Amino acid sequence: MRAVVIEEYGVLPVVREVPRPEPAEGAVVLKVEATGLCRSDWHGWMGHDSDIVLPHVPGHELAGTIAAVGAGVTGWEVGDRVTTPFICACGVCEQCLEGNQQVCPNQLQPGFNYWGSFAEYVAVPYASVNLVRLPDDMAFTTAAGLGCRFATAFRAVHQIAKVRPGERVAIFGCGGVGLSAVMIAAALGAEVIAVDTNPEALKLAVQYGAAHAASTVADFDGVRVTIDALGSNEIVQQALRVLRPRGRHVQIGLLPSGVSLDVGRLIGQELSWLGSHGMPAHAYPEMLELVAAGKLSPSSLITRTITLDETPAALAALSDGTPAGVTVIQPN
C-alpha cells in the first residue's frame, strides 16, 4: 500500500510503498476512505511525542470500510462503514470498565503508538470497543473529522465544561478543534467569543455561531468558561485572567513545553482547571444524533481535501500556522 512515511523528525516525509497491515486477534483493518490532517500530526512529525518510533506513518482521524477482520471479532463484517476514536482503548482495564476509555492506561493511538491512517489501509486494535458504525448518509470526509477534533470538542464543551445556555464562553484557537468547539457551544445556547490571530479563522468562527470574534479577549468580562484549543502557555494565562470567580477552564491543546499556573488565583477565585482528552466510542451516539438532526454540521468545517501526494507539504506547512478550517486527506 502507499503511505506517507516520516523518516526523520522535521524533514519532509515521503510517499512510498509499505507493507499493508494484517488484522491481529481482536483487531480489524480498514481501507482508509478519508483521514484528517491535524496539528497533533505536526507535533508527532516534529518529535514531540515519545511513543513514535521512526520510520513512522502518521494519521489518527479516520473513517473507512472494514477490509479484514481478525480472530475473535464479532458483530463486524468486511464492508462495514466505520470510524473510531483516536484513542483505541483496551476495554478490560478499570477505566474502560467504568466507561472512561478516553483515559485507558493501555490505550493505543494510530499515528502515534503504531502506524496510522496517512495510508491506504490502517489497523484498529480492540475493535469491539472502539469501532463506531457510521450512518449510511454520512460522508467519509465528514466522519474523518469526528474522531479527534469534533468528538474532542463535543466532550470538552458538553460533557466536561458542561456549558449551559446564556453562559459566556471564550474559545482560544480557531483551528479544527476550536471551530468545532465554537459550533457546539453556540448550539448549546452559549454566547461564544472566538479568539485567534488569523482573520480568516475568525470569519469562519462567526459563520459557525460565534457572537464575538477578536484577536484578544481583554475587552470582555463575565467569562464563565475558557477553552484552550491550541496549546500555549500565553493562552492559558489569558484564559485564567479573564475568567470570572468560580469559572471553568478546559485544556484541550497539548502543551509540550509545559505551562506556568497562578495557583493562588486558582485557589482564591475558586477556578476549575479541567483536562479533556478525546471521547470514547460509546459516547458517539448523542453526537451523531445531533448531526443527523441538523443541530451540528461538522461537514461545514471542511475547507480543503487533498491527496496522499499533497500531504507531506501540507503537514510541513503547519509550521507556519494552522490554515482556516479542516483539511481532509483522501488516500484512494
Side-chain angles (χ1 to χ4, degrees):
M1 69 173 184
R2 298 176 75 238
V4 174
V5 183
I6 298 171
E7 297 180 332
E8 189 175 344
Y9 293 126
V11 175
L12 195 69
V14 297
V15 179
R16 62 177 173 86
E17 292 285 337
V18 298
R20 173 176 161 175
E22 296 293 332
E25 183 174 358
V28 301
V29 171
L30 302 186
K31 179 177 183 246
V32 180
E33 304 289 355
T35 180
L37 176 65
C38 177
R39 177 152 288 275
S40 296
D41 302 312
W42 177 86
H43 281 292
W45 173 60
M46 292 298 291
H48 297 160
D49 193 303
S50 60
D51 291 327
I52 290 176
V53 177
L54 299 181
H56 182 70
V57 176
H60 61 285
E61 295 182 309
L62 58 111
T65 53
I66 295 178
V69 178
V73 176
T74 59
W76 300 97
E77 299 178 352
V78 171
D80 284 347
R81 304 171 76 255
V82 298
T83 187
T84 180
F86 73 92
I87 296 166
C88 292
C90 73
V92 296
C93 69
E94 178 183 7
Q95 293 299 329
C96 285
L97 294 177
E98 291 178 354
N100 297 315
Q101 286 89 350
Q102 76 282 352
V103 290
C104 169
N106 307 313
Q107 65 185 253
L108 295 174
Q109 296 185 21
F112 297 98
N113 300 106
Y114 69 98
W115 283 15
S117 55
F118 287 6
E120 293 177 318
Y121 294 88
V122 66
V124 177
Y126 314 123
S128 62
V129 183
N130 298 301
L131 291 181
V132 177
R133 196 177 303 277
L134 293 176
D136 291 339
D137 59 353
M138 178 173 284
F140 286 115
T141 50
T142 300
L146 295 178
C148 177
R149 280 170 281 198
F150 204 83
T152 293
F154 184 82
R155 186 166 182 275
V157 172
H158 182 45
Q159 299 171 353
I160 298 296
K162 301 185 186 302
V163 168
R164 296 184 287 271
E167 289 190 311
R168 177 169 273 187
V169 178
I171 297 170
F172 295 79
C174 293
V177 173
L179 289 174
S180 299
V182 166
M183 178 184 291
I184 293 161
L188 293 173
E191 178 191 354
V192 179
I193 306 165
V195 185
D196 203 293
T197 57
N198 182 343
E200 294 303 313
L202 291 177
K203 288 179 184 178
L204 288 177
V206 172
Q207 183 179 322
Y208 302 144
H212 313 279
S215 59
T216 177
V217 76
D219 296 333
F220 296 91
D221 56 18
V223 177
R224 288 188 177 272
V225 178
T226 55
I227 297 174
D228 177 6
L230 179 62
S232 158
N233 181 65
E234 181 181 351
I235 285 176
V236 169
Q237 308 316 317
Q238 292 180 49
L240 294 180
R241 283 196 299 268
V242 77
L243 275 176
R244 62 179 293 163
R246 308 205 78 245
R248 291 113 59 203
H249 173 74
V250 182
Q251 188 66 38
I252 302 175
L254 300 175
L255 295 161
S257 299
V259 66
S260 298
L261 295 180
D262 183 350
V263 178
R265 178 168 171 75
L266 283 175
I267 296 169
Q269 298 293 307
E270 291 194 354
L271 304 179
S272 297
W273 170 284
L274 303 163
S276 189
H277 188 238
M279 187 170 81
H282 70 77
Y284 272 58
E286 181 183 12
M287 178 179 67
L288 292 176
E289 288 171 8
L290 292 171
V291 173
K295 296 180 179 179
L296 297 174
S297 179
S299 61
S300 65
L301 299 170
I302 299 168
T303 53
R304 181 173 61 151
T305 58
I306 61 175
T307 65
L308 270 187
D309 291 314
E310 295 172 306
T311 300
L315 179 64
L318 294 178
S319 297
D320 299 321
T322 303
V326 171
T327 298
V328 172
I329 303 156
Q330 294 181 295
N332 297 286

